[in-house]
Amino acid sequence: MIRKLRRRAVRLFAVGLELSGKALARSKAKSKPASVPPAPASVDVNGMRVVITGGTRGIGQALAKGFTDAGARVAILARNGTEAAAVAKALGPLAIGLQANVTDPIAMDRAFAQIDACWGGVDLLINNAGVPGTLDRAAWDISAPELSDVIAVNLVGAHLAAQSAIKLMRSRGISGRIINVSSGAVNRPTAGMTAYAVSKYALEGLTRQLAVEADRSGISVASIRLGSVRTAMTTAAFGATKASLLPDPETVVPAFLTLARAPKELVQGRSFASWHLLADPEAELRTANPLAHSRAFTYPHYTHNGRSVSRTDPAFRIYDRAENQFGASPAVAAAILADLNARPLEVYPDETHAPLRAALSDHMALSPDCFAIGNGSWEVLDRLLEIFTQGGDEVIGGKPGWFGFQMLCDKRALVSIKVPMMLENGRLQHDLTAVAAAISPATRLIYLISPSNPEGVILRRTAFLEFLTLVPKEIPILLDEAYFEYCNDPDAITARDVIDLSDRPIFGLRTFSKFYALASMRVGYAYGRAEHIALLNRGERIFNIAHLSEIAVIAALQDHAHSAFVLDANGVQRKMIQDHAKGMGLQFIDSQTCFILIELPCPLDNLIDLFAQEGIFLPAKAYYKAKYFMFPVSTEQENRRNLTLLAKAVKKG
């Protein structure tokens, strides 16, 4: 029973730890953007009259010290008056300790009356008192009294304390503030913590209602979701060793100080994540979604001998985006020029994308209703996440996987479950059995890349069809086929091969940026059964691709001779590179894309520098415990130059 309790507790506290750890790591790695505007004039904490419930230990005690250190007067309320008095005495003359049970309305009114007599009012209430409840049982095994006990403290107690505080604030004409302490458990449902999670969900509902009711009195109400910290409760739950890995309670104090100081207009009725407030307080205060901890992504800017490198300069080669080095079909430029002479630029594009749908219909032998068109596959993928998931849901993908998918998951507060590939008969493969085993009640989408990025490994027909029998048919499955047109393995399977076999929601995702060499045109698409694509199209932004982009991709799609040339040339060059790598004694992962993971012959930085000296810029990332790097497949001339440099790196070692 003790072990079971500890497992449940670990899950509870790991929720906040995972969320806060990721956000803090990102904040250390990336500088704060200068574009975030400064906050309006903040509230002065010095001299503020603060009431903290549950203030004798853990987070409450840390908050009491943090606010007194900032010059605030702090009243500590606790069931044990002796403990409250002792903590207050240790903090000095700015603190007082009072006995008060948050579930007793008479005791709450009496405590606030005492504080009023002492200080003449209250400016801030922090509803911190709370209990974890039953963490060792399923929801149906929790009795009504046990659930009521948790609700009584975590919800009703917070309501009673807020009630007493608001009555006092209104009687004194004080535009005060209430901060309700919520939890990261609200971000992600976790088995074994029903009573606690439900109480915190309800607390955030109470926060919004109180904010609406109290707003006319100038009183603001907000809540803050906490990550995991080291307290007596966490130590008792899973031992001192594991608890020692958690941050100290004091680490969350700056987040509370930020909320206490922030203008009312920025906090009223909102719930904030402590890990976001700690990482980027201004962004968290001003945004109402997970974008608070996101940053605009840009690729590295390169220089060569002090000269700024342009991606379009023929003197250099930049391989960090897996662009098609064979170029676009000549028919594209001709089609664009012809259209420019025939159609006025002031006319909006066709929002139905009818010509492109018709071309795709011919290309894939599907109804035009089976396609969703987007501004690159990024936009379509984001729309899929928007339609089928919400914050806290789980999505399953490969490891390491494409970085862009993780970025989109982060921006939507999704939990990304990453499943590594496996070695089978000496060949790296998608571990579809492990993917199926990772499915949980919170799983809302499965995202598989074929050929995979960065490995270039395909989904194989038999394995994938068996996998479908293991996956509940209601869960959407997305096959990202961004590089599939490069594939020449007959055993590869696509979404097109299976959407006619079942009515389950299966989507294929493709782009014109890679194989068709039209990255600047920004056109991608998803395909699937018409009834599922209709759901996806509900989220489409009108006029989301330019008319000339549509003209370009149709011309590329219909130039079958150029497509055959690119497929054949890439396949020949890919094999040539792999043969040379083998001859150099370097391992590689057999690829079906326009790149190959090849064993590093020397430290990555040295290899990057060696190529950069020749004006060649490789992706500065190593994979699989820094064993492999991404080698581009390009034209024969460029490939031979790149292989010569690789051989030079092998000699240097």
Side-chain angles (χ1 to χ4, degrees):
M1 179 62 72
I2 293 176
R3 280 199 295 266
K4 190 174 182 181
L5 173 61
R6 288 182 176 178
R7 283 198 301 271
R8 300 294 187 190
V10 167
R11 289 180 184 178
L12 166 63
F13 295 110
V15 168
L17 179 63
E18 177 185 1
L19 294 169
S20 58
K22 287 182 178 179
L24 289 173
R26 279 189 291 266
S27 71
K28 293 176 181 177
K30 300 175 181 178
S31 60
K32 183 176 177 180
S35 59
V36 176
S42 62
V43 180
D44 189 2
V45 172
N46 186 42
M48 184 180 286
R49 297 160 293 188
V50 181
V51 178
I52 302 174
T53 66
T56 59
R57 61 192 65 185
I59 291 170
Q61 186 174 1
L63 290 173
K65 184 177 186 305
F67 274 87
T68 55
D69 287 347
R73 290 170 283 178
V74 175
I76 300 166
L77 304 189
R79 290 187 179 188
N80 189 317
T82 303
E83 288 185 6
V87 172
K89 183 178 179 181
L91 292 176
L94 291 178
I96 59 175
L98 301 173
Q99 189 278 330
N101 185 342
V102 295
T103 63
D104 183 348
I106 296 176
M108 279 290 100
D109 282 343
R110 183 170 56 244
F112 276 89
Q114 290 176 274
I115 297 168
D116 184 43
C118 182
W119 293 338
V122 168
D123 301 301
L124 172 65
L125 165 65
I126 300 178
N127 267 318
N128 172 67
V131 294
T134 54
L135 302 177
D136 59 335
R137 275 170 283 166
W140 51 85
D141 290 329
I142 300 172
S143 68
E146 288 172 325
L147 179 60
S148 296
D149 288 344
V150 177
I151 297 295
V153 177
N154 295 358
L155 179 63
V156 178
H159 171 66
L160 293 176
Q163 190 176 61
S164 296
I166 290 172
K167 285 190 294 186
L168 176 55
M169 290 174 184
R170 292 185 66 190
S171 70
R172 291 287 190 178
I174 298 170
S175 298
R177 180 160 302 172
I178 297 171
I179 299 176
N180 292 322
V181 178
S182 184
S183 167
V186 174
N187 291 73
R188 180 181 180 184
T190 303
M193 49 185 291
T194 296
Y196 180 81
V198 166
S199 72
K200 294 303 183 181
Y201 276 111
L203 180 64
E204 296 198 4
L206 175 65
T207 297
R208 299 185 70 177
Q209 286 301 124
L210 284 174
V212 171
E213 300 289 349
D215 187 69
R216 286 168 290 183
S217 301
I219 298 169
S220 56
V221 189
S223 61
I224 181 170
R225 299 177 183 178
L226 295 185
S228 306
V229 297
R230 183 170 63 252
T231 64
M233 185 166 61
T234 57
T235 301
F238 52 91
T241 301
K242 290 182 179 178
S244 68
L245 301 176
L246 300 174
D248 294 325
E250 290 76 14
T251 59
V252 302
V253 171
F256 282 85
L257 289 171
T258 295
L259 281 190
R261 292 175 172 135
K264 171 189 171 183
E265 292 77 12
L266 293 182
V267 304
Q268 185 67 296
R270 294 180 57 197
S271 180
F272 298 91
S274 62
W275 49 93
H276 293 171
L277 284 170
L278 294 170
D280 194 339
E282 292 301 330
E284 176 66 1
L285 287 172
R286 292 182 177 278
T287 61
N289 53 52
L291 290 173
H293 71 275
S294 299
R295 299 287 186 271
F297 174 79
T298 58
Y299 283 91
H301 178 76
Y302 300 101
T303 59
H304 182 72
N305 295 332
R307 170 186 172 188
S308 180
V309 174
S310 168
R311 299 190 67 87
T312 58
D313 190 329
F316 301 98
R317 282 290 177 266
I318 302 176
Y319 294 115
D320 62 355
R321 305 186 195 180
E323 293 160 335
N324 183 345
Q325 302 301 316
F326 296 98
S329 160
V332 170
I336 291 175
L337 289 173
D339 193 82
L340 280 172
N341 291 324
R343 188 178 190 273
L345 290 177
E346 67 268 21
V347 177
Y348 277 99
D350 175 8
E351 74 279 6
T352 70
H353 317 299
L356 178 53
R357 291 180 191 278
L360 289 170
S361 176
D362 291 341
H363 179 67
M364 301 196 75
L366 287 170
S367 165
D369 295 334
C370 292
F371 299 94
I373 312 301
N375 191 261
S377 57
W378 277 78
E379 187 271 327
V380 185
L381 175 55
D382 191 38
R383 202 192 311 167
L384 279 154
L385 294 176
E386 178 183 36
I387 293 293
F388 293 111
T389 68
Q390 60 183 357
D393 287 344
E394 293 180 0
V395 292
I396 303 175
K399 183 179 181 179
W402 177 48
F403 77 94
F405 181 67
Q406 185 62 54
M407 287 173 57
L408 293 176
C409 288
D410 289 344
K411 289 183 178 182
R412 295 196 174 276
L414 300 173
V415 180
S416 177
I417 307 298
K418 295 186 176 183
V419 178
M421 290 199 172
M422 65 176 181
L423 273 175
E424 184 177 68
N425 299 323
R427 186 167 59 181
L428 200 65
Q429 298 291 336
H430 292 268
D431 193 345
L432 297 179
T433 302
V435 171
I439 295 172
S440 79
T443 301
R444 293 293 179 268
L445 184 88
I446 296 173
Y447 173 75
L448 302 172
I449 309 176
S450 179
S452 61
N453 182 350
E455 303 90 352
V457 171
I458 60 169
L459 286 166
R460 299 196 173 275
R461 187 172 302 274
T462 300
F464 185 73
L465 293 177
E466 291 177 354
F467 166 71
L468 292 181
T469 67
L470 303 176
V471 179
K473 65 181 299 184
E474 291 77 18
I475 296 179
I477 300 174
L478 171 61
L479 303 188
D480 189 333
E481 299 167 355
Y483 298 96
F484 193 82
E485 287 92 349
Y486 286 110
C487 176
N488 56 14
D489 189 327
D491 194 32
I493 193 169
T494 69
R496 179 65 188 92
D497 297 324
V498 294
I499 58 176
D500 293 333
L501 305 179
S502 169
D503 60 358
R504 67 163 67 232
I506 296 180
F507 300 88
L509 180 65
R510 297 199 180 185
T511 178
F512 286 94
S513 297
K514 302 301 182 180
F515 180 82
Y516 292 101
L518 294 175
S520 64
M521 293 288 107
R522 307 308 307 134
V523 181
Y525 64 96
Y527 67 93
R529 295 179 64 87
E531 62 268 29
H532 301 140
I533 291 295
L535 295 175
L536 186 54
N537 281 333
R538 293 185 183 193
E540 181 181 348
R541 283 65 170 169
I542 193 169
F543 308 128
N544 67 340
I545 65 170
H547 172 73
L548 290 177
S549 293
E550 184 167 345
I551 293 296
V553 298
I554 291 173
L557 193 66
Q558 294 175 341
D559 189 345
H560 304 297
H562 185 76
S563 294
F565 159 72
V566 173
L567 175 62
D568 181 65
N570 188 82
V572 169
Q573 293 304 311
R574 186 171 62 211
K575 184 179 184 306
M576 185 267 287
I577 292 169
Q578 293 182 166
D579 288 345
H580 277 73
K582 185 176 181 180
M584 296 178 199
L586 298 175
Q587 296 181 21
F588 60 88
I589 297 175
D590 192 14
S591 173
Q592 286 290 308
T593 64
C594 58
F595 49 80
I596 308 165
L597 286 190
I598 296 179
E599 181 183 3
L600 276 164
C602 60
L604 179 64
D605 288 346
N606 295 349
L607 184 71
I608 296 297
D609 288 344
L610 175 65
F611 275 73
Q613 289 171 13
E614 302 298 324
I616 301 169
F617 299 92
L618 301 175
K621 185 173 178 61
Y623 300 90
Y624 288 91
K625 297 182 179 180
K627 182 176 181 179
Y628 297 98
F629 76 104
M630 187 176 284
F631 192 93
V633 177
S634 186
T635 63
E636 180 176 3
Q637 180 179 357
E638 291 183 7
N639 289 334
R640 294 198 178 279
R641 181 176 66 164
N642 295 339
L643 286 169
T644 299
L645 290 172
L646 183 61
K648 185 177 180 180
V650 171
K651 287 183 179 180
K652 287 187 174 183

